[in-house]
Amino acid sequence: LEVNKYYEVIRELGKGTYGKVDLVIHKIRGSKMALKFLKKKSTKLKSFLREYSISLYLSPCPFIINMFGIAFETDEYYVFAQEYAPSGDLFDIIPPQVGLPEPVAKRCVHQVAIALEYLHSKKLVHRDIKPENILIFDKECRKVKLSDFGMTRRAGSPVKRVSGTIPYTAPELCDTSKHDGFCVDYSTDVWAFGVLLFCMLTGNFPWEKAMPSDTFYEEFVRWQKRRTGAVPSQWRRFTDESLRMFRKLLALEQERRCSVKEVFAHLGHRWMLDGTSGNH
Ligand code: ADP
Ligand code: MG
Ligand code: MG
């Protein structure tokens, strides 16, 4: 398909080794949309069709990016169209070292949690939860949507222990030396959701990698295991209530991690940062 015949490219929204995402105007309809181009060189037709059909299947959820039923190929790319999120992705609005104002963060995670709950109710696991994959429609996060279903798989399907993005990857996935039958599980998303929440509220990562050898992670593990004693320094700004939630989201054994559903109970509380933190 001759892209320029039907679409006018306005600007690039994202770029990676995979290909690119462009903001375009549909010349006939006059409407804006985002086209995701996946390089044929690095993407199998099967993976493209999987990402496209999963996205389309999940589109009815108001907290998941809406797909238009448009998919085509050019010489170089497989392409599909989705609604355009005018404020880009969440990563770009988290102030480094500071974090988002708590009400904004709370509003945002609430919507992400609904999207995840929907996904999980369809027996799917996203496997790449991170700020870059949460698209925003306004800077106040009044409307946000989960996106990028390239890693999404059915719960229970066998996979290798490598997935997602560091530092959002759960500890059981970090040990790539193990080759036993490992299966896709909801707990992967729950862990990443916990890390995401930490990042949104602090503007920092809790650790580089959930591995022994990362001192911040080691400190967290000691605190998780002991259940008493000093809270690691980068966690001290959180209230007791929110620390209780983080303990469940970031439970070290995946069997003990809570479900996304449990997050909603916590969202009812004033649960995040201490008023003394100076973060709004
Ligand atoms: P990848 O699978 O390579 O991570 P994504 O689908 O996550 O590709 O898109 C890459 C980036 O492009 C996103 O992080 C975001 O910044 C931007 N982007 C993607 N889709 C849209 C969209 N519909 N509206 C606005 N920006 C988008
Ligand atoms: Mg992405
Ligand atoms: Mg992807």
Side-chain angles (χ1 to χ4, degrees):
L1 188 128
E2 192 59 63
V3 176
N4 296 337
K5 194 169 160 191
Y6 298 99
Y7 302 96
E8 185 187 328
V9 178
I10 300 175
R11 66 186 169 90
E12 199 168 81
L13 296 167
K15 199 185 176 78
T17 46
Y18 65 94
K20 58 178 177 167
V21 179
D22 280 351
L23 168 61
V24 300
I25 287 189
H26 192 288
K27 283 185 181 172
I28 300 159
R29 293 181 183 158
S31 52
K32 284 183 184 174
M33 49 178 80
L35 289 185
K36 184 163 177 174
F37 293 82
L38 292 152
K39 272 194 197 122
K40 287 183 174 174
K41 263 190 199 152
S42 42
T43 312
K44 290 199 183 94
L45 177 60
K46 192 181 155 202
S47 332
F48 167 77
L49 290 176
R50 178 169 49 211
E51 179 168 354
Y52 172 68
S53 55
I54 291 177
S55 307
L56 202 56
Y57 173 64
L58 295 170
S59 277
C61 176
F63 303 100
I64 286 176
I65 201 76
N66 199 12
M67 296 284 289
F68 303 120
I70 300 173
F72 57 89
E73 62 181 319
T74 67
D75 290 345
E76 218 185 322
Y77 298 103
Y78 297 118
V79 190
F80 61 69
Q82 53 181 208
E83 78 182 304
Y84 163 56
S87 294
D89 68 60
L90 182 62
F91 185 86
D92 291 329
I93 64 155
I94 302 177
Q97 321 294 326
V98 178
L100 286 167
E102 194 173 319
V104 176
K106 202 164 171 175
R107 192 152 56 215
C108 180
V109 292
H110 199 153
Q111 296 171 71
V112 176
I114 297 172
L116 266 183
E117 195 193 8
Y118 180 77
L119 193 82
H120 291 180
S121 77
K122 300 288 181 194
K123 307 232 172 336
L124 292 167
V125 181
H126 186 279
R127 298 171 74 231
D128 202 11
I129 295 296
K130 57 178 173 177
E132 295 90 322
N133 288 337
I134 293 159
L135 301 179
I136 57 177
F137 288 71
D138 62 287
K139 301 268 188 255
E140 305 289 81
C141 290
R142 288 185 204 285
K143 184 173 166 187
V144 313
K145 297 196 179 195
L146 183 59
S147 171
D148 193 357
F149 298 92
M151 294 284 291
T152 305
R153 296 291 183 278
R154 271 191 87 79
S157 40
V159 279
K160 292 201 186 99
R161 280 179 196 263
V162 55
S163 98
T165 310
I166 290 161
Y168 302 94
T169 305
E172 67 275 7
L173 286 159
C174 287
D175 190 357
T176 50
S177 62
K178 288 188 194 158
H179 293 295
D180 52 329
F182 189 79
C183 290
V184 173
D185 192 77
Y186 306 112
S187 56
T188 302
D189 284 346
V190 173
W191 178 277
F193 182 87
V195 177
L196 172 84
L197 196 48
F198 181 96
C199 296
M200 287 173 71
L201 288 165
T202 65
N204 291 307
F205 294 123
W207 41 71
E208 267 177 44
K209 202 175 178 186
M211 282 275 257
S213 78
D214 184 305
T215 50
F216 289 118
Y217 181 65
E218 284 286 84
E219 211 183 341
F220 174 80
V221 168
R222 276 199 297 277
W223 172 70
Q224 265 286 35
K225 284 186 177 158
R226 245 189 293 128
R227 311 225 140 243
T228 53
V231 177
S233 54
Q234 74 276 31
W235 292 85
R236 279 183 204 143
R237 290 168 61 202
F238 293 101
T239 59
D240 291 347
E241 172 67 28
S242 60
L243 286 177
R244 268 196 291 281
M245 184 190 54
F246 275 116
R247 273 198 151 129
K248 291 192 212 165
L249 291 171
L250 301 170
L252 301 171
E253 297 97 13
Q254 60 178 133
E255 305 76 32
R256 293 182 56 189
R257 231 163 274 159
C258 69
S259 69
V260 179
K261 269 205 177 71
E262 285 181 58
V263 174
F264 296 107
H266 288 278
L267 285 166
H269 295 97
R270 287 185 292 115
W271 45 270
M272 296 196 172
L273 297 165
D274 274 324
T276 51
S277 67
N279 184 330
H280 305 264

